[in-house]
Every structure is written in structure tokens, then in C-alpha cells.
Amino acid sequence: MAPIGLKPGNDASGAVQETALRDGFVVCHGRLDDWARAAAGPSAPGLLGADWPRYLATREPAARARLLGSRLLLRRAVAAVSGVAPDRIRLGRDGWGRPVVHEPAGLDAGISHTAGVLVVGVALGRRIGVDVEARHRPLLAPGLAERFCHAEELAELRELPSGERNARLVRLWTLKEAYAKALGVGLAYDFTLLRPRPEPHGEGWVLGRISAEWRLRCDGVERFLVASALGPQRRAQQSSQ
């Protein structure tokens, strides 16, 4: 399912919940200006929760807007998936800075943003990571591809027409970044070890032996690419009795 576009004044909770229940996850996107404007005001401390001190310590207006807007969009997405009222949702961050849904239980979340667009992902009982990049982000700088491409990917890039190489690089980067964000390590991961390949049947991507149970997806949304990485279903812990 392609990412669902959300606006503050439009209720798309039915489509968000239906997608999450059917696929086990949902990815939503929206305009930064819209969500930051909707989040501003006296309700901001309650909206941000544990992120409020971080907001106060942030001086850059653009960074403040991203923090406000992304948390409101995530809160709305979690509310739609879970059926829980937005003001009863508790969000936080782990030691890597990754978003955490404390309440309601059983959900995982991811956030990404670039160039005025916000993307959030919510998954039921499994890890999720998301990334958004401009389709035409220039990645053909000397030596850059060698820093994040698998050796086989570099060989394939050399065989492509020059006009197609940057588009391939952006897609690979977005997929790998979503996976690394799902793990919670971000750019600390060695991207040259990852080799996403299209699924033989379907619209997704797989990582092969390194993470055989993970499923990745990359969709076009206007002038952006939005990638998601969905981990395996978490197994219920067995009682020790």
C-alpha cells in the first residue's frame, strides 16, 4: 500500500486503520508547514511530552517546526491505528533518539523528514523504519557511492546509462536508511553490507540472508521517494513457569 497523505483538518483515520490491520503497518505523509502550524500553541507541551525539554533547548525555528509537526502527525497516525484518543498516547525516544510508543502498547514507530515533507510509520507488533528523500537528490559525488553501496551494486551502476545512475543511488540510499532507522542505529550501520533486491513477485524489496524476514518498500510521493522497512513479527514471550 502506498503512503497515505494526511492533513490536519481531514479525518483519514478509517483508511489508516484499515491499512494497518490489513498489512501490519501503515506509512503516512504530510506537509511540514501544515502540521507544524496545527501543533503550535498552548497544547504544545502536552503534545511533545518527553520531547518538550528538547524543544525548549532548540533555537532554530525550522528544527522546532519539524519537532512539533512530526510529533503531531505521529500522534494522529497512532491514534488512527489503535483507536486510542490522541491525548492518551505517550511518545518518547530511546537511547539512539528513535521514537518510542509507550502507550498504547504493542506499536512501533518511525519518523523521517526532508524539504518540507514529514513521513511517519506505525507497525503492529514489529519494528518499522521510514525514510524520505527528494527523487533528484544528487548522490553522484566522487567516492560517495563507494561509501554506501554493496560491491555488486557498484558493478550494476557502472552498467547503467549515466542518466539513470543517480536515480538508482537515491532509491538504494532510501531503502537502506529506512532499514538502519528501524534497527535504531542510523548512519552507524555499514550500508555496504546491505544488498536490497526486488522481490521476485510483488512490489517490495528483500535483503537476502542478512535479514531474510525483513520486507522493504519504496514508493514515489510527488517529488519524493518514501521507503519503509518492516521487521519480522515479534513472538510472544513464553512464560517461564
Side-chain angles (χ1 to χ4, degrees):
M1 177 70 179
I4 297 175
L6 295 181
K7 294 182 179 180
N10 292 348
D11 184 9
S13 57
V16 172
Q17 187 177 62
E18 179 183 354
T19 299
L21 293 177
R22 183 189 65 232
D23 300 337
F25 76 108
V26 65
V27 177
C28 304
H29 66 91
R31 290 177 54 85
L32 169 60
D33 289 346
D34 292 342
W35 287 96
R37 190 181 307 114
S43 63
L47 168 67
L48 291 175
D51 276 320
W52 180 243
R54 180 183 173 210
Y55 176 83
L56 292 177
T58 301
R59 299 304 177 192
E60 183 186 358
R64 283 190 161 203
R66 286 194 298 269
L67 190 56
L68 277 175
S70 63
R71 293 315 182 272
L72 180 57
L73 177 57
L74 178 58
R75 190 174 291 268
R76 293 286 178 83
V78 169
V81 170
S82 64
V84 173
D87 59 357
R88 296 182 58 192
I89 293 167
R90 286 204 310 118
L91 304 176
R93 300 168 70 87
D94 65 13
W96 290 89
R98 189 174 182 275
V100 175
V101 182
H102 294 298
E103 293 182 16
L107 299 180
D108 195 61
I111 293 174
S112 185
H113 54 78
T114 191
V117 65
L118 300 173
V119 171
V120 301
V122 181
L124 292 80
R126 61 187 72 190
R127 281 266 188 165
I128 190 171
V130 294
D131 190 52
V132 56
E133 302 289 347
R135 287 178 185 266
H136 302 297
R137 177 182 176 182
L139 292 180
L140 283 174
L144 182 56
E146 287 76 9
R147 291 168 54 187
F148 74 87
C149 285
H150 189 280
E152 294 177 2
E153 292 170 341
L154 291 174
E156 292 175 355
L157 283 169
R158 287 191 287 268
E159 297 299 321
L160 285 177
S162 58
E164 298 179 15
R165 292 173 188 168
N166 193 76
R168 176 70 63 86
L169 284 171
V170 175
R171 186 173 296 273
L172 290 173
W173 173 269
T174 309
L175 288 164
K176 295 182 182 189
E177 180 79 359
Y179 174 71
K181 287 181 177 179
L183 296 181
V185 297
L187 296 179
Y189 198 97
D190 184 356
F191 283 9
T192 65
L193 300 177
L194 298 176
R195 178 74 168 96
R197 296 179 175 87
E199 286 182 321
H201 307 287
E203 300 178 346
W205 296 68
V206 294
L207 289 171
R209 292 189 302 273
I210 191 169
S211 296
E213 295 183 275
W214 284 75
R215 292 296 179 269
L216 282 65
R217 185 180 174 100
C218 192
D219 294 283
V221 175
E222 299 176 357
R223 58 190 182 92
F224 302 96
L225 289 181
V226 176
S228 59
L230 189 69
Q233 186 74 42
R234 291 170 177 163
R235 296 175 177 84
Q237 293 184 351
Q238 300 295 322
S239 172
S240 59
Q241 297 181 346

